[in-house]
Amino acid sequence: MRTSFNIPDDVLEKFDEIWRSQGFSSRSRAAREAMQEYIESHQTLDERTGTVAAVVVFDYVYHDVVADVHEIQHEFEDVVNASSHVHHGEWCLETVHCTGDADEVRKLVYRLRNFDAVRRVKLMVVDSDEERRDNEVEPRG
């Protein structure tokens, strides 16, 4: 299937630089791998259930969305434990520590991803009910 994308020149230049340095045979091949990684990260997020402990990291243009970002964090105060904020010129880097229902953390992540002025949103789940169950040690008997 052929398709087209609107990608900023600087993003495309960096993408091309990276896939070439890693020996990919074409931009299409590198884009397929990038899409697969995107799918895998979202499937992991979508499949989580129960209580999770997670860190959400995102960067954004301060003046464009700071009020919205703060409003969202207040909206999700049941899962947001703490946040830190660092300035990088007009861009800001925010780290949000969460504990709570996986569905609520997922909704928070998706809300943050819904702004053009938010460049990236990364999620790292550091603990979950599922992982604790999977890693429980059987008592010796």
Side-chain angles (χ1 to χ4, degrees):
M1 170 199 281
R2 290 194 173 268
T3 189
S4 63
F5 298 97
N6 292 321
I7 302 171
D9 289 339
D10 61 327
V11 173
L12 186 59
E13 287 171 16
K14 188 66 176 172
F15 183 74
D16 286 345
E17 177 185 318
I18 291 170
W19 70 260
R20 286 182 180 126
S21 73
Q22 293 182 351
F24 282 98
S25 58
S26 68
R27 180 188 289 156
S28 292
R29 174 68 184 101
R32 283 192 303 271
E33 181 171 312
M35 287 179 184
Q36 185 61 40
E37 289 179 14
Y38 181 85
I39 290 166
E40 289 168 3
S41 71
H42 283 76
Q43 282 178 331
T44 299
L45 175 59
D46 291 341
E47 294 168 359
R48 296 284 182 171
T49 60
T51 301
V52 298
V55 178
V56 181
V57 179
F58 57 101
D59 59 339
Y60 58 95
V61 178
Y62 179 82
H63 299 289
D64 292 353
V65 293
V66 68
D68 295 317
V69 166
H70 290 162
E71 182 178 322
I72 289 169
Q73 287 185 33
H74 284 284
E75 180 182 332
F76 288 91
E77 67 186 0
D78 290 346
V79 294
V80 173
N81 303 116
S83 65
S84 63
H85 179 95
V86 180
H87 296 271
H88 290 281
E90 290 195 20
W91 284 93
C92 294
L93 177 64
E94 192 99 11
T95 305
V96 179
H97 301 265
C98 302
T99 305
D101 184 69
D103 190 47
E104 287 301 302
V105 174
R106 183 174 26 260
K107 288 176 186 174
L108 168 63
V109 169
Y110 289 159
R111 284 287 302 282
L112 292 169
R113 286 182 175 156
N114 199 28
F115 292 99
D116 288 339
V118 174
R119 189 165 40 179
R120 287 177 298 255
V121 180
K122 300 289 184 180
L123 170 71
M124 180 175 69
V125 176
V126 293
D127 190 27
S128 70
D129 289 343
E130 293 171 359
E131 289 172 349
R132 281 191 298 280
R133 279 191 303 271
D134 290 344
N135 293 321
E136 284 181 357
V137 177
E138 293 290 324
R140 293 184 185 192

PDB file of all heavy atoms in Angstrom, residues 48-52 100-103 128-130 133:
ATOM      1  N   ARG A  48      -3.231  -3.066  29.532  1.00  0.00           N
ATOM      2  CA  ARG A  48      -3.050  -3.001  30.989  1.00  0.00           C
ATOM      3  C   ARG A  48      -4.393  -2.935  31.700  1.00  0.00           C
ATOM      4  O   ARG A  48      -5.315  -2.268  31.250  1.00  0.00           O
ATOM      5  CB  ARG A  48      -2.236  -1.775  31.381  1.00  0.00           C
ATOM      6  CG  ARG A  48      -0.829  -1.768  30.869  1.00  0.00           C
ATOM      7  CD  ARG A  48       0.017  -2.709  31.673  1.00  0.00           C
ATOM      8  NE  ARG A  48       1.383  -2.639  31.176  1.00  0.00           N
ATOM      9  CZ  ARG A  48       2.390  -3.193  31.765  1.00  0.00           C
ATOM     10  NH1 ARG A  48       2.221  -3.865  32.886  1.00  0.00           N
ATOM     11  NH2 ARG A  48       3.593  -3.107  31.258  1.00  0.00           N
ATOM     12  N   THR A  49      -4.475  -3.633  32.824  1.00  0.00           N
ATOM     13  CA  THR A  49      -5.661  -3.581  33.664  1.00  0.00           C
ATOM     14  C   THR A  49      -5.216  -3.490  35.124  1.00  0.00           C
ATOM     15  O   THR A  49      -4.051  -3.717  35.439  1.00  0.00           O
ATOM     16  CB  THR A  49      -6.535  -4.837  33.495  1.00  0.00           C
ATOM     17  OG1 THR A  49      -5.775  -5.991  33.856  1.00  0.00           O
ATOM     18  CG2 THR A  49      -7.057  -4.978  32.072  1.00  0.00           C
ATOM     19  N   GLY A  50      -6.165  -3.158  35.989  1.00  0.00           N
ATOM     20  CA  GLY A  50      -5.861  -3.090  37.411  1.00  0.00           C
ATOM     21  C   GLY A  50      -5.096  -1.827  37.760  1.00  0.00           C
ATOM     22  O   GLY A  50      -5.129  -0.833  37.045  1.00  0.00           O
ATOM     23  N   THR A  51      -4.383  -1.890  38.871  1.00  0.00           N
ATOM     24  CA  THR A  51      -3.618  -0.753  39.360  1.00  0.00           C
ATOM     25  C   THR A  51      -2.217  -0.765  38.757  1.00  0.00           C
ATOM     26  O   THR A  51      -1.576  -1.808  38.705  1.00  0.00           O
ATOM     27  CB  THR A  51      -3.521  -0.801  40.894  1.00  0.00           C
ATOM     28  OG1 THR A  51      -4.851  -0.786  41.431  1.00  0.00           O
ATOM     29  CG2 THR A  51      -2.750   0.382  41.444  1.00  0.00           C
ATOM     30  N   VAL A  52      -1.760   0.399  38.324  1.00  0.00           N
ATOM     31  CA  VAL A  52      -0.420   0.539  37.771  1.00  0.00           C
ATOM     32  C   VAL A  52       0.299   1.691  38.453  1.00  0.00           C
ATOM     33  O   VAL A  52      -0.328   2.617  38.957  1.00  0.00           O
ATOM     34  CB  VAL A  52      -0.422   0.779  36.241  1.00  0.00           C
ATOM     35  CG1 VAL A  52      -1.041  -0.386  35.495  1.00  0.00           C
ATOM     36  CG2 VAL A  52      -1.114   2.082  35.888  1.00  0.00           C
ATOM     37  N   GLY A 100      -2.525   4.277  40.021  1.00  0.00           N
ATOM     38  CA  GLY A 100      -3.972   4.151  40.001  1.00  0.00           C
ATOM     39  C   GLY A 100      -4.434   3.215  38.918  1.00  0.00           C
ATOM     40  O   GLY A 100      -3.659   2.441  38.352  1.00  0.00           O
ATOM     41  N   ASP A 101      -5.717   3.300  38.622  1.00  0.00           N
ATOM     42  CA  ASP A 101      -6.337   2.428  37.643  1.00  0.00           C
ATOM     43  C   ASP A 101      -5.716   2.618  36.259  1.00  0.00           C
ATOM     44  O   ASP A 101      -5.564   3.754  35.788  1.00  0.00           O
ATOM     45  CB  ASP A 101      -7.839   2.718  37.587  1.00  0.00           C
ATOM     46  CG  ASP A 101      -8.557   1.777  36.660  1.00  0.00           C
ATOM     47  OD1 ASP A 101      -8.656   0.582  36.997  1.00  0.00           O
ATOM     48  OD2 ASP A 101      -8.992   2.244  35.584  1.00  0.00           O
ATOM     49  N   ALA A 102      -5.364   1.510  35.626  1.00  0.00           N
ATOM     50  CA  ALA A 102      -4.718   1.562  34.308  1.00  0.00           C
ATOM     51  C   ALA A 102      -5.565   2.328  33.301  1.00  0.00           C
ATOM     52  O   ALA A 102      -5.028   3.068  32.471  1.00  0.00           O
ATOM     53  CB  ALA A 102      -4.448   0.153  33.803  1.00  0.00           C
ATOM     54  N   ASP A 103      -6.867   2.194  33.380  1.00  0.00           N
ATOM     55  CA  ASP A 103      -7.741   2.892  32.445  1.00  0.00           C
ATOM     56  C   ASP A 103      -7.625   4.403  32.605  1.00  0.00           C
ATOM     57  O   ASP A 103      -7.609   5.135  31.622  1.00  0.00           O
ATOM     58  CB  ASP A 103      -9.187   2.439  32.645  1.00  0.00           C
ATOM     59  CG  ASP A 103     -10.095   2.941  31.544  1.00  0.00           C
ATOM     60  OD1 ASP A 103      -9.735   2.814  30.352  1.00  0.00           O
ATOM     61  OD2 ASP A 103     -11.175   3.477  31.864  1.00  0.00           O
ATOM     62  N   SER A 128       2.601  -3.093  38.073  1.00  0.00           N
ATOM     63  CA  SER A 128       1.174  -3.289  37.854  1.00  0.00           C
ATOM     64  C   SER A 128       0.714  -4.514  38.606  1.00  0.00           C
ATOM     65  O   SER A 128       1.518  -5.377  38.975  1.00  0.00           O
ATOM     66  CB  SER A 128       0.870  -3.453  36.361  1.00  0.00           C
ATOM     67  OG  SER A 128       1.366  -4.688  35.884  1.00  0.00           O
ATOM     68  N   ASP A 129      -0.594  -4.591  38.820  1.00  0.00           N
ATOM     69  CA  ASP A 129      -1.174  -5.781  39.452  1.00  0.00           C
ATOM     70  C   ASP A 129      -0.783  -7.030  38.675  1.00  0.00           C
ATOM     71  O   ASP A 129      -0.417  -8.050  39.254  1.00  0.00           O
ATOM     72  CB  ASP A 129      -2.701  -5.679  39.503  1.00  0.00           C
ATOM     73  CG  ASP A 129      -3.206  -4.650  40.490  1.00  0.00           C
ATOM     74  OD1 ASP A 129      -2.421  -4.237  41.370  1.00  0.00           O
ATOM     75  OD2 ASP A 129      -4.384  -4.262  40.386  1.00  0.00           O
ATOM     76  N   GLU A 130      -0.847  -6.939  37.332  1.00  0.00           N
ATOM     77  CA  GLU A 130      -0.532  -8.097  36.494  1.00  0.00           C
ATOM     78  C   GLU A 130       0.910  -8.552  36.694  1.00  0.00           C
ATOM     79  O   GLU A 130       1.179  -9.746  36.816  1.00  0.00           O
ATOM     80  CB  GLU A 130      -0.753  -7.757  35.019  1.00  0.00           C
ATOM     81  CG  GLU A 130      -2.189  -7.506  34.657  1.00  0.00           C
ATOM     82  CD  GLU A 130      -2.341  -6.956  33.254  1.00  0.00           C
ATOM     83  OE1 GLU A 130      -1.319  -6.744  32.564  1.00  0.00           O
ATOM     84  OE2 GLU A 130      -3.486  -6.726  32.847  1.00  0.00           O
ATOM     85  N   ARG A 133       1.384 -10.258  40.056  1.00  0.00           N
ATOM     86  CA  ARG A 133       0.841 -11.627  40.038  1.00  0.00           C
ATOM     87  C   ARG A 133       1.772 -12.559  39.272  1.00  0.00           C
ATOM     88  O   ARG A 133       2.025 -13.679  39.681  1.00  0.00           O
ATOM     89  CB  ARG A 133      -0.550 -11.647  39.398  1.00  0.00           C
ATOM     90  CG  ARG A 133      -1.654 -11.234  40.333  1.00  0.00           C
ATOM     91  CD  ARG A 133      -3.017 -11.541  39.728  1.00  0.00           C
ATOM     92  NE  ARG A 133      -3.236 -10.910  38.433  1.00  0.00           N
ATOM     93  CZ  ARG A 133      -3.747  -9.692  38.272  1.00  0.00           C
ATOM     94  NH1 ARG A 133      -4.092  -8.970  39.300  1.00  0.00           N
ATOM     95  NH2 ARG A 133      -3.931  -9.206  37.057  1.00  0.00           N
TER      96      ARG A 133
END
